[in-house]
Amino acid sequence: MSLSPFIHRGSFVQRLNRFTATVRIDGKETLCHIPNTGRLRELLHKGAPVWLKLSEQPNRRTAYDLIAAEKNGKLFSIDSFAPNRATAVFLREQLGEYAKIQPEKTYRNSRFDFYIETNGRKIFLEVKGVTLEQDGIALFPDAPTERGAKHLRELSECIDDGYEAAVLFVIQFSPVCAFQPNEKQDPAFTQALRQAHQKGVRILAYDCAVAVDSIRLNVPIPVLL
C-alpha cells in the first residue's frame, strides 16, 4: 500500500500539542501534522529520525504529515489511519473478491471498523494500531483509552446477538516477539480485553512490513493475555 511518493527524512525537534510538532528538514525547522493522538514518547524525542509526507494541500498550515519514526534502527509507522487501510487490503487478499467487506459499519449504538460476510459467517472486526514496544513486546494502549474498552464491550454484545467478533491489533513495526495489553498503563482496558476473550471475541495480532512509503500486514504474532 503506497503512502505517497513525496517522502522526506528529517529529525524531530519538539511536540507542540497532540497534532502538531516541529521537525528539521534540510537544516530548516518547519511545522508538521502528527496523525496520531498517542503519546509516542519513546519515538518522538528531540533528534529522533523521522519520515514525513508532503501534504497534497498546498494551503494547509502544516506542509508535512509525520508518518514514521526510527528507534534503534527500526522503522515504526505512526500514522493512525494506516492500520485500517492496510487491514482493508489484507482482508480482500485473504477472503477474495466475493466476500462482503464493509468499513465503518454501524450496529446498534456502535460503529465498528469492518463488517464481514464470507462463507455464511457474519463478523464484526475492530482494528487497533500499536506503536509501543518494550523489550521486544508490543503493547497497547500507550495511554488510557475508555473508547478502546467500550469497543471491546460492544464486540461482546455482538457475540450475544449471534455474530462473530474480533479485535485486530496491527503492530506498526517488526520484528516483535509477542503482543500483550498494557496493564500498567490501562488496567481497565486490559480487564475488558480479557473479558471479551472469555466471551468469545477473537484477539488477533499481526506485525507489519513497514517501509518509508508503504505498510502491509505481515504475519500473526502470539497474544499474551
Side-chain angles (χ1 to χ4, degrees):
M1 182 183 66
S2 178
L3 295 176
S4 169
F6 305 106
I7 305 296
H8 297 262
R9 183 183 174 92
S11 62
F12 192 79
V13 178
Q14 63 176 332
R15 192 167 188 168
L16 303 177
N17 53 51
R18 293 175 70 193
F19 297 104
T20 310
T22 305
V23 296
R24 188 181 300 276
I25 303 175
D26 297 327
K28 182 180 178 181
E29 289 191 7
T30 186
L31 290 176
C32 72
H33 171 67
I34 304 175
N36 192 313
T37 60
R39 292 179 177 173
L40 304 170
R41 290 172 179 166
E42 75 288 350
L43 296 175
L44 300 184
H45 54 82
K46 189 172 183 177
V50 293
W51 293 89
L52 303 109
K53 178 180 69 172
L54 184 64
S55 172
E56 298 176 4
Q57 304 175 33
N59 297 323
R60 203 178 74 171
R61 175 172 173 262
T62 51
Y64 296 92
D65 291 314
L66 202 166
I67 57 172
E70 293 182 24
K71 185 181 78 169
N72 300 327
K74 183 186 298 187
L75 193 63
F76 289 68
S77 166
I78 62 171
D79 183 352
S80 62
F81 300 102
N84 279 42
R85 295 197 297 262
T87 298
V89 173
F90 178 79
L91 290 173
R92 184 57 67 194
E93 291 175 345
Q94 295 295 310
L95 301 177
E97 61 178 313
Y98 297 109
K100 177 181 178 180
I101 302 172
Q102 182 177 348
E104 300 296 328
K105 173 66 172 178
T106 298
Y107 181 73
R108 290 189 176 184
N109 296 319
S110 308
R111 187 173 66 179
F112 297 106
D113 289 321
F114 293 96
Y115 172 69
I116 304 161
E117 290 186 4
T118 180
N119 296 324
R121 301 170 64 190
K122 298 180 179 181
I123 309 164
F124 283 101
L125 174 66
E126 187 67 19
V127 177
K128 302 294 183 187
V130 182
T131 59
L132 178 60
E133 176 197 37
Q134 292 181 1
D135 300 323
I137 303 296
L139 299 169
F140 182 91
D142 76 344
T145 170
E146 170 55 32
R147 182 170 179 267
K150 176 176 177 289
H151 283 154
L152 295 173
R153 293 191 292 268
E154 292 167 341
L155 286 172
S156 296
E157 293 175 0
C158 293
I159 296 287
D160 290 334
D161 291 342
Y163 293 91
E164 294 182 52
V167 56
L168 170 62
F169 292 95
V170 176
I171 301 166
Q172 295 175 246
F173 55 89
S174 68
V176 61
C177 299
F179 165 82
Q180 68 181 45
N182 193 352
E183 187 166 14
K184 181 178 180 180
Q185 184 62 248
D186 194 341
F189 176 86
T190 300
Q191 181 181 15
L193 186 66
R194 290 169 178 160
Q195 290 174 341
H197 174 66
Q198 294 171 356
K199 190 75 175 183
V201 176
R202 295 182 65 192
I203 314 299
L204 308 171
Y206 273 72
D207 75 354
C208 285
V210 179
V212 295
D213 62 347
S214 66
I215 176 173
R216 63 177 177 81
L217 270 67
N218 189 27
V219 296
I221 300 300
V223 174
L224 309 177
L225 293 180

